[in-house]
Amino acid sequence: MLNKYARAFFTRVLTPFAAFLLRRGVSPDAVTLIGTAGVVAGALVFFPRGEFFWGTIVITLFVFSDLVDGNMARQAGISSRWGAFLDSTLDRVADGAVFGGFALWYAGKGDDNVMCAVAIFCLASGQVVSYTKARGESIGLPVAVNGLVERAERLVVSLVAAGLAGLHGFGVPGIQVLLPIALWVVAAGSAVTLGQRVVTVRREAAEADAAGGAGSVGGADAAGGARGSEAT
C-alpha cells in the first residue's frame, strides 16, 4: 500500500539528486551497492547493541537508494535485467540485516527469546512473501495481488518503531515497548500477506490449467525451476 502511494512522491523529490549523481559519473549499480552496505552497517552495528535511534538514522539515510538507483537508470536510459536482479537481490540482503539486527539484540542484551523468534519470523516471512510473487511470475502467472504488508510497510513500521524506541536512551520512559509491538504487527501482517499471495497463485494456476492445459504450465514450471533463486 505504501509502495503504491509513496514511491511516486519520493521519486519526484529525488529526481534532481539522481540527475546530480549521473552528472558526476556515478552509476546506478554503485548507488545500489553503497545503499545496501549502509543499511547493513546501520542494522548490524547499532541494533545488536540496542542503539535503535542512531541505527535507524543511519539506515534511513541509505534506504532511499532503492528509489535513487532506479530513477538514475530511467533518466540515463540504461534500465536492464541485470539492474533489476541486483536491486531485488540486495533488497533481500538489506531486509535480512534489519530484522537480523533485531534478532541479535533480543538474543543478546535484550534477553527475550520470544521476541527473538518473532524477529526471525519477520525476516523469514518477508523473504518468502517476495519469493511467492517472483515464483508465481516465473511460471507465467500475473500474481495480481499486493497484500496487506509489503516491503515498504515492513520497513516503515519496523524502523519508525525502532527509532522511537531508541528515544528511551535519551530519557523518554516506556517508549521502548513500541518495537515489540511493531514486530508483532509486521509478523502478523506478513503471515496474512503470504496467505493472500498463496491463495492468489493457487486460483490463477487453476484458471491457467483450465484454459491452456496442465502441460504448458508444467513446462513453464520446469523452465522456471532454475530461476527460483531470483526471487524479488
Side-chain angles (χ1 to χ4, degrees):
M1 291 183 291
L2 284 176
N3 188 57
K4 178 180 178 181
Y5 296 107
R7 180 172 286 269
F9 170 76
F10 284 109
T11 296
R12 289 194 298 270
V13 170
L14 295 170
T15 292
F17 181 60
F20 170 79
L21 292 177
L22 286 172
R23 290 195 298 270
R24 294 297 181 272
V26 180
S27 72
D29 286 354
V31 172
T32 302
L33 291 167
I34 292 171
T36 302
V39 171
V40 170
L44 297 183
V45 171
F46 291 96
F47 285 176
R49 299 189 298 185
E51 297 178 6
F52 296 116
F53 178 80
W54 293 115
T56 300
I57 293 297
V58 171
I59 291 170
T60 302
L61 291 175
F62 286 98
V63 78
F64 284 106
S65 66
D66 189 47
L67 298 177
V68 174
D69 55 5
N71 194 314
M72 292 172 65
R74 286 189 295 273
Q75 288 190 49
I78 55 174
S79 297
S80 65
R81 291 181 176 87
W82 162 249
F85 169 82
L86 180 66
D87 186 59
S88 296
T89 300
L90 293 184
D91 280 350
R92 308 287 82 75
V93 173
D95 293 357
V98 170
F99 290 103
F102 293 142
L104 287 172
W105 161 250
Y106 285 116
K109 293 183 179 179
D111 192 24
D112 191 327
N113 289 337
V114 172
M115 289 312 306
C116 177
V118 172
I120 292 173
F121 179 83
C122 290
L123 190 163
S125 60
Q127 308 294 319
V128 177
V129 163
S130 297
Y131 176 79
T132 53
K133 187 173 181 66
R135 190 67 182 97
E137 290 174 343
S138 78
I139 58 174
L141 301 176
V143 195
V145 63
N146 290 321
L148 181 64
V149 176
E150 297 180 84
R151 182 174 188 254
E153 284 85 2
R154 291 196 300 271
L155 287 180
V156 169
V157 171
S158 301
L159 292 177
V160 168
L164 292 174
L167 295 177
H168 178 71
F170 296 92
V172 179
I175 201 166
Q176 68 272 21
V177 73
L178 290 179
L179 181 56
I181 292 173
L183 291 177
W184 277 109
V185 169
V186 169
S190 296
V192 170
T193 303
L194 177 59
Q196 290 175 307
R197 290 192 174 179
V198 168
V199 168
T200 297
V201 169
R202 179 177 175 82
R203 173 178 52 79
E204 291 176 350
E207 292 172 353
D209 287 348
S216 61
V217 176
D221 181 68
R227 300 172 57 193
S229 62
E230 299 178 13
T232 57

